[in-house]
Amino acid sequence: MALVPCQVLRAAILLSYCSILCNYKAIDMPAHQTYGGSWKFLTFIDLVIQAVFFGICVLTDLSSLLTRGNDSQEQERQLKKLISLRDWMMAVLAFPVGVFVVTMFWSIYIYDRELVYPKLLDNFIPGWLNHGM
């Protein structure tokens, strides 16, 4: 039951997304006091979707490791459901929203930074957090 590099990578990505979420919520930004808070930003919604998706990936990996070698039909059926949920989430939510957010953010950022990321936010959000999100 040795972990393969793919499973370790998924767990590391999940932990990094969770750490970014924790740091993001700890920052006192003016946008957090307005209607909708952080949830009005598509970048934040995408970060939550990605964290949930990688959580499901880690759960799928752990389940497949724990059920390996068992002949239980019920466990096989539940694992297949979990794998289909993971695949659905990747195809419908994680990949399309992630690509849209990255493409739109950086294309607008290149065009005019002040539209999506004003210089005022540099005081609240460090550069590494901006690139991580």
Side-chain angles (χ1 to χ4, degrees):
M1 281 198 339
L3 292 176
V4 294
C6 176
Q7 294 163 338
V8 173
L9 179 64
R10 285 181 179 163
I13 290 171
L14 175 64
L15 290 175
S16 68
Y17 279 141
C18 289
S19 69
I20 290 172
L21 276 172
C22 291
N23 284 331
Y24 183 80
K25 296 306 282 179
I27 297 172
D28 186 31
M29 287 181 23
H32 288 170
Q33 285 80 32
T34 61
Y35 179 75
S38 301
W39 292 96
K40 67 180 166 225
F41 301 118
L42 191 57
T43 52
F44 182 77
I45 294 170
D46 180 49
L47 182 63
V48 172
I49 289 171
Q50 297 290 334
V52 169
F53 170 69
F54 279 104
I56 292 173
C57 287
V58 169
L59 184 64
T60 304
D61 289 339
L62 290 175
S63 297
S64 67
L65 282 174
L66 294 175
T67 60
R68 187 171 290 157
N70 287 349
D71 293 332
S72 173
Q73 296 292 339
E74 180 64 24
Q75 288 178 346
E76 289 280 328
R77 191 174 58 79
Q78 289 177 355
L79 183 61
K80 286 183 182 180
K81 281 185 181 179
L82 196 58
I83 290 172
S84 67
L85 173 68
R86 179 196 66 191
D87 293 344
W88 176 85
M89 192 160 182
M90 175 64 174
V92 174
L93 290 175
F95 184 74
V97 174
V99 167
F100 179 77
V101 165
V102 168
T103 304
M104 294 309 300
F105 179 84
W106 288 111
S107 59
I108 294 172
Y109 187 92
I110 290 170
Y111 177 72
D112 184 11
R113 175 191 172 154
E114 294 294 318
L115 291 175
V116 290
Y117 193 72
K119 290 190 187 287
L120 171 72
L121 289 178
D122 287 337
N123 299 329
F124 301 103
I125 302 174
W128 67 268
L129 186 59
N130 179 32
H131 289 292
M133 289 183 56

